[in-house]
Amino acid sequence: MDAIFTWKDLLPHGRAVGDALCFTEGFTLTAPPRGAPQCSLVSAMARYEGERAPHISFELALPDYEKPFYLSHRYRIGDALAYIQQCWRVPPRLSAELSLCVHVDVPAGTVLYLNNFDARYATAPRDHAIGPRHNAHLGFLGMAPDNTMPAFELAALCGFPACIAVPKVTKDGVLVCLHDKTINRTARNTDGTELSEDPIYVQDLTYAELLTYDFGVQKRPTYKGTKIPRLEDFFKLCARTGMRPMFSTHPALPLEKWHEVKEMLIRLGLLRHFHVKSFSPDILETAYSVLGCEIDGYTLDTQKMEDNTIEGLLATGVDIQKCRVGIEIRAENMTKENVRRVLEAGMFAAAYALPRCDFDELYEKLISFGVTEFTEDYHCSMGLNY
């Protein structure tokens, strides 16, 4: 997929210095509404000189609408020590009427250098070993209906190296992706009308019956006609794009379904990239009994760190010497002391539910605590210099 913005779009805004373009002031790149949804990129090699880092942000806008349809937070550009490969990913346009603006801020006293690095789109590698991990929660649900193929595809296009899905089992035993026990919140009738107030449980419907509902229109008319995906559809997307598949399971899957999941992962070559998350140590213990240390690892989620959180995870028998094992805490409840306890136990510390606004300060604080993994609803962080 070609970048919407390429090197030639940067030329009018910079001054040539050898093989690089030099920028001492900020600039904006604008792409008018056009064609079908696609990933937008600005590709370059970047470094800067100065005490304050340059930043990049983007917005999607609708004509005759005062506020942006979508506004990102500000991402830090470059590295002061060396050139690094840089791909600035912004969300695909969801419809033809949306325009795109990319804002580059160069603080006073800072010089930004860009070297040409035009390239076709590619997702981040699965084996992401440098820097924090960023996981798309239920797909890129800030812009698409959660736990659907459009949301998963957006996550891949925007460069997330991992994506979290929540599995459920239908009446006829099909593994599908759905967050809630019922379909009432996310599904609509085929004509777009809301469902009855009576709860409709996914376990009481066959897969064929689920296909009669619309799982996209409630988010935005653009997604009208979206069907509930099978878990295998999600796995196949991960195999095709390089995104690591993750689970967040609630309630527990039957034991035989864990074996079915393992068979799917082996068939698609994804087993060692798979990661299991849950709020229940018992669920992690069941998953470990089937998947063992053959997968990427396990994460225990918790709203707030309790005195017995670490002990509860260790009691599951998951081998923290052979697996990546972590504890994920709601971002607003994370403290330096909590993170220290997790790290000293030999685990990684993760954060979820980061706010849509006022993101930067909290993100930097959590990084300073030692947090190395983030689950996000709104921010496409990978490929944007973190």
Side-chain angles (χ1 to χ4, degrees):
M1 181 178 295
D2 290 321
I4 285 182
F5 297 121
T6 59
W7 184 249
K8 66 180 181 181
D9 297 301
L10 299 172
L11 294 176
H13 304 282
R15 176 173 59 86
V17 178
D19 295 330
L21 283 179
C22 168
F23 303 85
T24 56
E25 296 180 349
F27 58 93
T28 296
L29 302 173
T30 303
R34 54 178 269 191
Q38 58 182 296
C39 186
S40 308
L41 301 179
V42 183
S43 299
M45 300 279 281
R47 71 178 177 91
Y48 71 90
E49 295 174 351
E51 294 184 359
R52 300 174 60 198
H55 287 78
I56 184 171
S57 62
F58 59 84
E59 64 181 71
L60 297 174
L62 288 164
D64 304 321
Y65 191 70
E66 292 184 4
K67 296 181 179 180
F69 170 73
Y70 184 85
L71 180 64
S72 78
H73 79 282
R74 297 168 68 246
Y75 298 98
R76 187 175 57 232
I77 294 176
D79 183 280
L81 300 178
Y83 282 98
I84 60 172
Q85 180 172 315
Q86 191 67 60
C87 253
W88 301 331
R89 292 180 175 85
V90 299
R93 249 77 61 84
L94 303 184
S95 61
E97 74 270 17
L98 284 168
S99 60
L100 166 70
C101 290
V102 175
H103 307 288
V104 178
D105 172 39
V106 181
T110 294
V111 180
L112 170 65
Y113 297 92
L114 297 178
N115 270 25
N116 192 359
F117 184 71
D118 289 341
R120 288 183 174 271
Y121 168 79
T123 57
R126 289 195 191 100
D127 297 318
H128 177 68
I130 301 174
R133 291 192 179 197
H134 295 267
N135 311 316
H137 183 218
L138 313 182
F140 199 168
L141 68 80
M143 299 191 70
D146 65 77
N147 259 294
T148 64
M149 292 308 296
F152 299 146
E153 288 162 358
L154 277 174
L157 285 171
C158 293
F160 278 102
C163 185
I164 300 164
V166 175
K168 293 290 187 294
V169 183
T170 67
K171 184 179 180 180
D172 52 345
V174 178
L175 282 161
V176 295
C177 299
L178 187 73
H179 183 273
D180 303 349
K181 295 180 182 179
T182 70
I183 67 171
N184 298 66
R185 177 179 66 87
T186 54
R188 297 292 181 266
N189 294 308
T190 53
D191 61 1
T193 58
E194 292 191 15
L195 307 184
S196 66
E197 293 184 0
D198 297 329
I200 303 174
Y201 291 92
V202 64
Q203 67 183 22
D204 295 333
L205 298 173
T206 65
Y207 178 61
E209 288 170 334
L210 281 169
L211 291 178
T212 65
Y213 294 95
D214 188 317
F215 284 83
V217 70
Q218 54 82 24
K219 181 73 174 184
R220 194 164 185 261
T222 303
Y223 296 110
K224 180 177 175 59
T226 299
K227 301 301 182 183
I228 190 169
R230 298 175 304 161
L231 179 63
E232 187 170 7
D233 298 329
F234 167 65
F235 283 163
K236 286 180 177 178
L237 174 72
C238 291
R240 187 172 74 250
T241 63
M243 213 165 44
R244 289 187 297 108
M246 301 179 72
F247 262 8
S248 180
T249 55
H250 49 80
L253 289 177
L255 185 62
E256 67 271 14
K257 289 301 175 184
W258 280 111
H259 286 284
E260 186 176 330
V261 167
K262 184 175 182 178
E263 290 171 2
M264 284 186 202
L265 293 167
I266 292 173
R267 174 161 39 86
L268 293 169
L270 293 172
L271 183 62
R272 72 184 182 91
H273 306 294
F274 182 56
H275 196 99
V276 179
K277 288 158 45 74
S278 181
F279 284 93
S280 167
D282 291 340
I283 290 177
L284 295 182
E285 187 170 29
T286 301
Y288 185 70
S289 72
V290 175
L291 302 169
C293 297
E294 297 179 75
I295 66 172
D296 176 70
Y298 301 84
T299 299
L300 178 64
D301 288 332
T302 180
Q303 287 277 343
K304 188 175 182 179
M305 187 83 162
E306 305 290 348
D307 290 340
N308 63 347
T309 300
I310 293 175
E311 290 74 11
L313 180 52
L314 293 174
T316 63
V318 176
D319 190 339
I320 66 172
Q321 302 300 322
K322 297 181 179 179
C323 299
R324 284 189 71 251
V325 180
I327 292 177
E328 185 172 67
I329 307 169
R330 192 174 181 89
E332 64 193 48
N333 296 327
M334 297 197 82
T335 66
K336 190 172 184 178
E337 173 61 19
N338 286 341
V339 174
R340 182 191 64 78
R341 289 175 56 203
V342 171
L343 298 181
E344 287 183 353
M347 306 175 190
F348 66 84
Y352 73 99
L354 279 79
R356 185 170 186 174
C357 302
D358 302 322
F359 172 88
D360 286 310
E361 183 177 352
L362 177 59
Y363 182 89
E364 295 292 341
K365 182 176 76 171
L366 296 179
I367 287 286
S368 73
F369 288 173
V371 176
T372 55
E373 191 155 322
F374 297 86
T375 294
E376 305 183 49
D377 293 343
Y378 299 103
H379 308 289
C380 53
S381 296
M382 281 310 302
L384 285 147
N385 221 41
Y386 286 133

